[in-house]
Amino acid sequence: MPIYTYEACDPSKGCAHCRAGFDVLQSLRAEPVTVCPSCGAPVERVISVPNLGRSEAALDDRAKAAGFTKLKRIGSGEYERQY
């Protein structure tokens, strides 16, 4: 299930909880939260950066552990073995 972030629509009318933003674990089919659970002020869903997971270095480590070879291009038709 995804985690959605919500913030107060009007920060001057919200409490500290919704002004700073709060996360809610919801299913994709669940209706969006419309009011702050602490103070009842109107809130809206905030678009945030997704977490895509692994870094390239972690993928390289997994490939090396699985026995794959990584080649780096050093020129036209020339490659150098990385591991």
Side-chain angles (χ1 to χ4, degrees), residues 4-48:
Y4 294 105
T5 303
Y6 291 90
E7 286 182 354
C9 293
D10 183 5
S12 65
K13 295 182 181 177
C15 64
H17 178 70
C18 62
R19 278 194 307 263
F22 60 93
D23 296 331
V24 178
L25 179 67
Q26 292 179 297
S27 74
L28 293 172
R29 294 184 184 119
E31 290 294 319
V33 174
T34 57
V35 296
C36 173
S38 298
C39 67
V43 294
E44 60 188 356
R45 190 182 293 171
V46 178
I47 297 174
S48 58

